[in-house]
Amino acid sequence: MYRVAKASEYLVITGAGINDIKIAKKAWILPGQSSSKIDISPVNYTFEVQAMSAEKLPFILPAVFTIGPRADDKESLYKYAKLTTSQDDNSNHMHELVKGIIEGETRVLAASMTMEEIFKGTKEFKKEVFETVQLELNQFGLIIYNANVKQLVDVPGHEYFSYLGQKTQMEAANQAKIDVSEAKMKGAVGSKLRDGQTLQNAAKIDAETKIIATQRQGEGTKEEIRVKTDVKVFENEREAEVAKANAELAMKKAKWAQNSQVAEVEAKKAVALREAELQKEVEIMNALTQTQKLKAEFLSKASVEYETKVQEANWELYKKQKEAEATLYEKEKEAQAQKAIAEAAFYARQQAADGELYAKQKEAEGLVALAQAQGAYISTLSGALGGNYWALRDYLMINGGMYQDIAKINGEAIKGLQPKISIWTGANGSGEGGDGGAMKEIAGLYKMLPPLMCTVNEQTEMLPPPWMGKINNQS
């Protein structure tokens, strides 16, 4: 059978003549072979991952991932084909697999970041989620074509983002109110300042105009008087009424001088009155400006104090919550520490008991080994002495230094006394045995024992042990 796959599909062939699997777009399906189709079209996966930040604040992260097999990589396509060919069309195996990877990596990443870092750095958070999830999907031959992390959502009962948005909104509204008040204040002050400057400039120009006009008028009058005076002087020279002309001229001069002075005084007074009026208006505007400024300052201060009180209340609540959590965590750690201490003490006691038992066992084994060695030693000595018990006993007493200890004890007992000393030798008076063999020293020791025991009995009235023999009264 000749089969052809669609543009977004591949044929996966297994069976006779194929070691693992064969992937192709079109191929002959031979007897003993089977084929199936895999779809490489990307699929959208929509999740709402419930995660928790480093401060243990839960939140919901809605996300949409577009994931599909890596068609340009033959090895990845083989991985994907092996993973999906055993699943039927209605299976949710792939969906559950992708969902588990995304939720697990997102929760691990969110647990290492604070809520503020997640909220402000959404782009970086999305990038890190994308990279970590892609690393896990590589082993299944899948690739993320697109990932869209939506707006973070509060978990019911933990409205962090809602409160944060309200805080930002209130801060923006308060700042806008402050900006509007400042703009109104600047506009009113600027308008009044322009009006005052206009009035001042107009009054100044009017005063200067009047002064110049008066000066021009005085100069014209002076010129006219000069011409008339010259005429009168000329006429008085010609006529006989020079005195009358001079008198009239003097009167006119006085009158003109008076008028000129009055005009100057009136001009000065008018200027002073106008200046006083303008100064009054300026003071009124300054008072209004100061009033508006104080209103704006008190309003801003009240808003800031309100926000400060709200933030302090929130901080106190958050601090108490954290203190309660810290206390609970400390109690849990103390309980765990006490449990660990109890376990350690029990383990130490158990190890000490095991060590003591082991020491006792080893001590018992040593005693058994020592007893076995001593038994072998005595058995060997007994064989060497021909099984003679008395010879073995004497050898052990001599080798153990018992006779030396007896002599030492007796010497200590009679120290400082004046004992009777008896010297006893053998029959030949030499103190040596007659045989002169290997048992010479032992024979000499045996010869010394009777007189030694007799001496001890005479000095201390002590008798030797029964195993060493008896002392006769006549001896």
Side-chain angles (χ1 to χ4, degrees):
M1 181 182 296
Y2 188 73
R3 301 192 64 181
V4 179
K6 296 180 181 179
S8 62
E9 294 179 344
Y10 274 94
L11 293 175
V12 179
I13 306 171
T14 59
I18 299 174
N19 294 330
D20 191 2
I21 61 172
K22 177 182 178 182
I23 299 177
K25 277 288 186 180
K26 53 186 177 179
W28 286 97
I29 307 303
L30 303 177
Q33 295 180 352
S34 62
S35 66
S36 61
K37 294 181 179 180
I38 57 172
D39 191 355
I40 63 171
S41 301
V43 180
N44 289 331
Y45 297 90
T46 303
F47 305 103
E48 287 188 356
V49 181
Q50 291 188 355
M52 185 174 292
S53 65
E55 304 97 340
K56 298 181 180 179
L57 295 175
F59 64 93
I60 297 176
L61 178 68
V64 178
F65 283 77
T66 304
I67 300 175
R70 191 189 296 270
D72 56 349
D73 187 3
K74 189 175 181 181
E75 183 179 356
S76 299
L77 197 60
Y78 270 87
K79 292 180 181 178
Y80 179 73
K82 291 180 180 180
L83 180 66
T84 57
T85 49
S86 61
Q87 307 296 327
D88 55 13
D89 295 337
N90 297 325
S91 176
N92 291 327
H93 174 71
M94 184 60 64
H95 185 275
E96 295 296 330
L97 175 66
V98 174
K99 179 181 178 182
I101 292 174
I102 294 175
E103 289 183 349
E105 296 299 328
T106 303
R107 289 193 183 100
V108 171
L109 183 59
S112 64
M113 300 175 67
T114 63
M115 190 67 78
E116 192 71 17
E117 292 174 349
I118 297 172
F119 185 72
K120 290 185 177 180
T122 306
K123 184 177 181 181
E124 290 74 11
F125 181 68
K126 170 186 172 182
K127 181 180 178 182
E128 293 189 16
V129 171
F130 184 92
E131 292 176 353
T132 54
V133 171
Q134 182 59 61
L135 289 176
E136 295 296 328
L137 293 178
N138 287 336
Q139 58 184 332
F140 302 104
L142 299 172
I143 184 174
I144 302 175
Y145 288 94
N146 184 33
N148 183 17
V149 178
K150 299 181 180 179
Q151 185 65 36
L152 302 178
V153 180
D154 287 319
V155 175
H158 300 82
E159 289 76 12
Y160 175 82
F161 297 113
S162 176
Y163 291 149
L164 189 62
Q166 291 178 10
K167 174 188 172 184
T168 305
Q169 184 178 1
M170 290 297 296
E171 290 177 352
N174 292 331
Q175 186 63 38
K177 291 179 181 179
I178 294 171
D179 294 340
V180 170
S181 298
E182 290 181 354
K184 287 181 179 180
M185 179 187 69
K186 290 180 180 179
V189 172
S191 177
K192 296 296 181 181
L193 182 61
R194 292 298 182 188
D195 293 341
Q197 290 177 353
T198 302
L199 293 175
Q200 291 177 7
N201 292 332
K204 184 178 179 181
I205 292 171
D206 290 340
E208 291 177 354
T209 302
K210 288 182 180 181
I211 292 171
I212 293 173
T214 304
Q215 290 177 352
R216 294 298 183 186
Q217 187 177 1
E219 289 177 357
T221 304
K222 290 179 181 180
E223 186 66 26
E224 184 179 357
I225 292 171
R226 187 181 64 80
V227 173
K228 288 181 179 181
T229 302
D230 291 340
V231 172
K232 288 296 181 181
V233 171
F234 180 75
E235 289 178 352
N236 289 335
E237 291 177 354
R238 297 301 177 182
E239 299 177 359
E241 298 179 354
V242 176
K244 184 179 179 180
N246 289 335
E248 291 178 357
L249 180 60
M251 291 175 62
K252 289 181 179 180
K253 284 184 178 179
K255 186 177 181 179
W256 290 336
Q258 181 181 3
N259 293 335
S260 176
Q261 291 177 359
V262 171
E264 290 179 359
V265 172
E266 288 179 353
K268 290 181 179 179
K269 294 295 183 182
V271 171
L273 290 173
R274 189 59 182 168
E275 288 180 354
E277 292 176 357
L278 293 176
Q279 185 66 28
K280 180 180 178 181
E281 293 178 358
V282 170
E283 293 296 334
I284 293 173
M285 292 305 302
N286 289 336
L288 292 175
T289 303
Q290 189 68 20
T291 302
Q292 295 294 331
K293 182 178 179 181
L294 291 174
K295 287 182 179 179
E297 289 180 356
F298 285 126
L299 179 61
S300 301
K301 187 180 293 183
S303 300
V304 171
E305 289 180 355
Y306 172 75
E307 290 296 329
T308 303
K309 295 297 182 182
V310 172
Q311 293 296 329
E312 288 179 354
N314 292 337
W315 168 246
E316 290 296 332
L317 177 60
Y318 177 77
K319 183 179 179 181
K320 290 180 180 179
Q321 291 177 350
K322 289 301 179 181
E323 288 177 354
E325 292 178 359
T327 303
L328 178 60
Y329 181 77
E330 184 178 358
K331 296 296 183 181
E332 292 178 353
K333 289 301 180 181
E334 288 180 357
Q336 293 178 1
Q338 292 177 357
K339 181 180 178 182
I341 291 172
E343 292 178 353
F346 174 74
Y347 180 77
R349 292 177 180 176
Q350 185 177 6
Q351 292 296 322
D354 293 342
E356 186 176 358
L357 176 61
Y358 181 77
K360 295 294 183 181
Q361 291 177 351
K362 289 300 180 180
E363 184 178 358
E365 292 177 359
L367 293 174
V368 171
L370 179 62
Q372 292 177 353
Q374 289 179 350
Y377 174 68
I378 293 173
S379 176
T380 303
L381 287 177
S382 178
L385 295 175
N388 189 345
Y389 168 76
W390 303 105
L392 176 62
R393 183 195 66 182
D394 294 339
Y395 175 78
L396 291 176
M397 290 177 66
I398 294 170
N399 190 41
M402 181 174 288
Y403 294 115
Q404 289 87 338
D405 292 340
I406 293 173
K408 183 176 180 181
I409 293 171
N410 291 332
E412 291 291 335
I414 63 174
K415 184 177 181 181
L417 301 177
Q418 295 180 355
K420 295 179 180 180
I421 300 173
S422 301
I423 299 174
W424 179 81
T425 59
N428 56 3
S430 63
E432 297 179 359
D435 54 357
M439 296 299 291
K440 178 180 179 180
E441 296 295 333
I442 296 175
L445 180 60
Y446 277 129
K447 291 177 181 180
M448 292 174 60
L449 284 177
L452 177 61
M453 295 303 175
C454 293
T455 304
V456 171
N457 180 259
E458 291 177 358
Q459 298 293 334
T460 63
E461 297 182 356
M462 292 177 61
L463 295 175
W467 56 269
M468 293 186 66
K470 292 183 179 181
I471 298 178
N472 296 327
N473 293 332
Q474 291 80 11
S475 64

